Coordinates of all heavy atoms in Angstrom, one line a residue:
A1 N -7.4 13.7 -5.6 CA -7.5 13.5 -4.1 C -6.6 12.3 -3.7 O -5.9 12.4 -2.7 CB -8.9 13.3 -3.6
L2 N -6.7 11.2 -4.4 CA -5.9 10.1 -4.1 C -4.4 10.3 -4.2 O -3.6 9.9 -3.4 CB -6.3 8.9 -4.9 CG -7.7 8.3 -4.6 CD1 -8.1 7.4 -5.8 CD2 -7.7 7.5 -3.3
A3 N -4.0 11.0 -5.3 CA -2.6 11.4 -5.5 C -2.1 12.3 -4.3 O -1.0 12.2 -3.9 CB -2.4 12.0 -6.8
R4 N -3.0 13.2 -3.9 CA -2.6 14.0 -2.8 C -2.3 13.2 -1.5 O -1.5 13.6 -0.7 CB -3.8 15.0 -2.5 CG -3.4 16.1 -1.5 CD -4.6 17.1 -1.3 NE -4.9 17.7 -2.5 CZ -6.1 17.7 -3.2 NH1 -7.1 16.9 -2.7 NH2 -6.3 18.3 -4.3
D5 N -3.0 12.1 -1.4 CA -2.8 11.2 -0.2 C -1.6 10.2 -0.5 O -1.3 9.4 0.4 CB -4.0 10.4 0.0 CG -5.2 11.2 0.6 OD1 -4.9 12.3 1.1 OD2 -6.3 10.8 0.4
G6 N -0.9 10.3 -1.7 CA 0.2 9.5 -1.9 C 0.0 8.2 -2.6 O 0.9 7.4 -2.8
L7 N -1.2 8.0 -3.1 CA -1.5 6.8 -3.8 C -1.2 7.0 -5.3 O -2.1 7.3 -6.1 CB -3.0 6.4 -3.6 CG -3.4 5.0 -4.1 CD1 -2.7 3.9 -3.2 CD2 -4.9 4.8 -4.1
V8 N 0.0 6.7 -5.7 CA 0.5 6.9 -7.0 C 1.1 5.6 -7.5 O 1.9 5.0 -6.8 CB 1.5 8.0 -7.1 CG1 2.1 8.2 -8.5 CG2 0.9 9.3 -6.5
P9 N 0.8 5.2 -8.8 CA 1.3 3.9 -9.3 C 2.8 4.0 -9.5 O 3.3 5.0 -9.8 CB 0.5 3.7 -10.6 CG 0.1 5.0 -11.0 CD -0.2 5.8 -9.7
G10 N 3.4 2.8 -9.5 CA 4.9 2.8 -9.8 C 5.3 3.3 -11.1 O 6.4 3.9 -11.3
G11 N 4.4 3.1 -12.1 CA 4.7 3.6 -13.5 C 4.9 5.1 -13.5 O 5.7 5.6 -14.3
A12 N 4.2 5.8 -12.6 CA 4.3 7.3 -12.6 C 5.7 7.7 -12.1 O 6.3 8.6 -12.6 CB 3.3 7.9 -11.7
Y13 N 6.2 6.9 -11.1 CA 7.6 7.2 -10.6 C 8.6 6.9 -11.6 O 9.6 7.6 -11.7 CB 7.8 6.4 -9.3 CG 6.9 6.8 -8.1 CD1 6.0 6.0 -7.6 CD2 7.1 8.1 -7.6 CE1 5.2 6.4 -6.6 CE2 6.3 8.5 -6.5 CZ 5.3 7.7 -6.0 OH 4.5 8.1 -5.0
R14 N 8.4 5.8 -12.4 CA 9.4 5.5 -13.5 C 9.4 6.6 -14.5 O 10.4 6.9 -15.0 CB 9.0 4.1 -14.1 CG 9.3 2.9 -13.2 CD 9.3 1.6 -13.9 NE 8.0 1.3 -14.5 CZ 7.0 0.7 -13.9 NH1 7.2 0.3 -12.6 NH2 5.8 0.4 -14.5
N15 N 8.2 7.0 -14.9 CA 8.1 8.1 -15.9 C 8.8 9.4 -15.3 O 9.5 10.1 -16.1 CB 6.6 8.4 -16.2 CG 6.0 7.3 -17.0 OD1 6.7 6.5 -17.7 ND2 4.7 7.3 -17.0
R16 N 8.6 9.7 -14.1 CA 9.2 10.9 -13.5 C 10.7 10.8 -13.5 O 11.5 11.7 -13.8 CB 8.7 11.2 -12.1 CG 9.2 12.5 -11.5 CD 8.8 12.6 -10.0 NE 7.4 13.0 -9.9 CZ 6.9 14.2 -9.9 NH1 7.8 15.2 -10.0 NH2 5.7 14.5 -9.7
A17 N 11.2 9.6 -13.1 CA 12.7 9.3 -13.1 C 13.3 9.5 -14.4 O 14.4 10.1 -14.5 CB 12.9 7.9 -12.5
Y18 N 12.6 9.1 -15.5 CA 13.2 9.2 -16.8 C 13.0 10.6 -17.4 O 13.9 11.1 -18.0 CB 12.6 8.2 -17.7 CG 13.0 8.3 -19.2 CD1 14.3 7.9 -19.5 CD2 12.2 8.8 -20.2 CE1 14.7 8.0 -20.9 CE2 12.6 8.9 -21.5 CZ 13.9 8.5 -21.8 OH 14.3 8.6 -23.1
L19 N 11.8 11.2 -17.2 CA 11.5 12.4 -17.9 C 11.8 13.7 -17.1 O 11.8 14.8 -17.6 CB 10.0 12.4 -18.2 CG 9.5 11.3 -19.2 CD1 8.0 11.2 -19.1 CD2 10.0 11.6 -20.6
G20 N 12.0 13.5 -15.8 CA 12.1 14.7 -14.9 C 13.0 15.8 -15.4 O 12.6 17.0 -15.3
A21 N 14.2 15.5 -15.8 CA 15.2 16.5 -16.2 C 14.7 17.2 -17.5 O 15.3 18.3 -17.8 CB 16.5 15.8 -16.4
Q22 N 13.8 16.6 -18.3 CA 13.3 17.2 -19.5 C 12.2 18.2 -19.3 O 11.8 18.9 -20.2 CB 12.9 16.1 -20.5 CG 13.9 15.0 -20.7 CD 13.4 13.9 -21.5 OE1 12.5 14.1 -22.4 NE2 13.8 12.7 -21.2
V23 N 11.7 18.2 -18.1 CA 10.4 19.0 -17.8 C 10.7 20.1 -16.8 O 11.4 19.9 -15.7 CB 9.3 18.1 -17.3 CG1 8.0 18.9 -17.0 CG2 9.1 16.9 -18.2
W24 N 10.2 21.3 -17.1 CA 10.3 22.4 -16.1 C 8.8 22.6 -15.6 O 7.9 22.7 -16.3 CB 10.8 23.7 -16.7 CG 10.8 24.9 -15.8 CD1 11.8 25.2 -14.9 CD2 9.7 25.8 -15.5 NE1 11.4 26.3 -14.2 CE2 10.1 26.7 -14.5 CE3 8.4 25.9 -16.1 CZ2 9.3 27.7 -14.1 CZ3 7.6 27.0 -15.6 CH2 8.0 27.9 -14.6
F25 N 8.7 22.7 -14.2 CA 7.4 22.9 -13.6 C 7.4 24.3 -12.9 O 8.3 24.7 -12.3 CB 7.1 21.9 -12.5 CG 6.9 20.5 -13.0 CD1 7.8 19.5 -12.9 CD2 5.6 20.2 -13.6 CE1 7.6 18.2 -13.4 CE2 5.4 18.9 -14.1 CZ 6.4 17.9 -14.0
D26 N 6.3 25.0 -13.1 CA 6.0 26.2 -12.3 C 6.1 25.7 -10.8 O 5.5 24.8 -10.4 CB 4.6 26.7 -12.6 CG 4.3 28.0 -11.8 OD1 4.6 28.1 -10.7 OD2 3.7 28.8 -12.5
P27 N 7.0 26.4 -10.0 CA 7.2 26.0 -8.6 C 5.9 26.0 -7.8 O 5.9 25.4 -6.7 CB 8.2 27.1 -8.1 CG 8.9 27.6 -9.3 CD 7.8 27.6 -10.4
S28 N 4.9 26.7 -8.2 CA 3.6 26.8 -7.4 C 2.8 25.6 -7.6 O 1.8 25.4 -6.8 CB 2.8 28.0 -7.8 OG 2.3 27.9 -9.2
L29 N 3.1 24.7 -8.5 CA 2.2 23.5 -8.8 C 2.4 22.5 -7.6 O 3.5 22.1 -7.3 CB 2.6 22.9 -10.1 CG 2.2 23.7 -11.4 CD1 2.8 22.9 -12.6 CD2 0.7 23.8 -11.5
P30 N 1.3 22.0 -7.1 CA 1.4 21.0 -6.0 C 1.8 19.6 -6.6 O 1.6 19.3 -7.8 CB 0.0 20.9 -5.5 CG -0.9 21.4 -6.6 CD -0.1 22.4 -7.3
L31 N 2.4 18.8 -5.7 CA 3.0 17.5 -6.1 C 1.9 16.6 -6.8 O 2.2 15.9 -7.8 CB 3.6 16.8 -4.9 CG 4.2 15.5 -5.2 CD1 5.3 15.5 -6.2 CD2 4.7 14.8 -3.9
E32 N 0.7 16.7 -6.3 CA -0.3 15.8 -6.8 C -0.7 16.1 -8.2 O -1.0 15.2 -9.0 CB -1.6 15.8 -5.9 CG -2.3 17.1 -5.8 CD -1.9 17.9 -4.6 OE1 -0.7 17.6 -4.1 OE2 -2.6 18.8 -4.2
V33 N -0.6 17.3 -8.6 CA -0.9 17.7 -10.0 C 0.3 17.2 -10.9 O 0.0 16.6 -12.0 CB -1.0 19.2 -10.2 CG1 -1.1 19.6 -11.6 CG2 -2.3 19.7 -9.5
T34 N 1.5 17.4 -10.5 CA 2.6 16.9 -11.3 C 2.6 15.4 -11.4 O 2.9 14.8 -12.4 CB 3.9 17.4 -10.8 OG1 4.2 16.9 -9.5 CG2 3.9 18.9 -10.8
D35 N 2.2 14.7 -10.3 CA 2.1 13.3 -10.3 C 1.1 12.8 -11.4 O 1.4 11.8 -12.1 CB 1.6 12.7 -8.9 CG 2.8 12.6 -7.9 OD1 3.9 12.6 -8.4 OD2 2.5 12.6 -6.7
L36 N 0.0 13.5 -11.5 CA -1.0 13.0 -12.5 C -0.5 13.3 -14.0 O -0.9 12.6 -14.9 CB -2.3 13.7 -12.3 CG -3.1 13.3 -11.1 CD1 -4.5 13.9 -11.1 CD2 -3.2 11.8 -11.0
L37 N 0.4 14.2 -14.1 CA 0.9 14.5 -15.5 C 1.9 13.4 -15.9 O 2.1 13.1 -17.1 CB 1.6 15.8 -15.5 CG 0.8 17.1 -15.2 CD1 1.5 18.3 -15.5 CD2 -0.6 17.0 -16.0
F38 N 2.5 12.7 -14.9 CA 3.3 11.5 -15.1 C 2.5 10.2 -15.1 O 3.1 9.1 -15.4 CB 4.4 11.4 -14.1 CG 5.5 12.4 -14.2 CD1 5.7 13.4 -13.3 CD2 6.4 12.4 -15.3 CE1 6.7 14.4 -13.4 CE2 7.5 13.3 -15.4 CZ 7.6 14.3 -14.5
D39 N 1.3 10.2 -14.6 CA 0.5 9.0 -14.4 C 0.3 8.2 -15.7 O -0.1 8.7 -16.7 CB -0.9 9.5 -13.9 CG -1.8 8.3 -13.4 OD1 -1.2 7.4 -12.8 OD2 -3.0 8.3 -13.7

């Protein structure tokens, strides 16, 4: 619920920036779910 409201730590954004190109996501997945996978 908090991730859905945009409360995501900076470390998750750093992980996404580095790993994003290595990961394929089902387009139906909401952003808050993918944020928690980088959390």
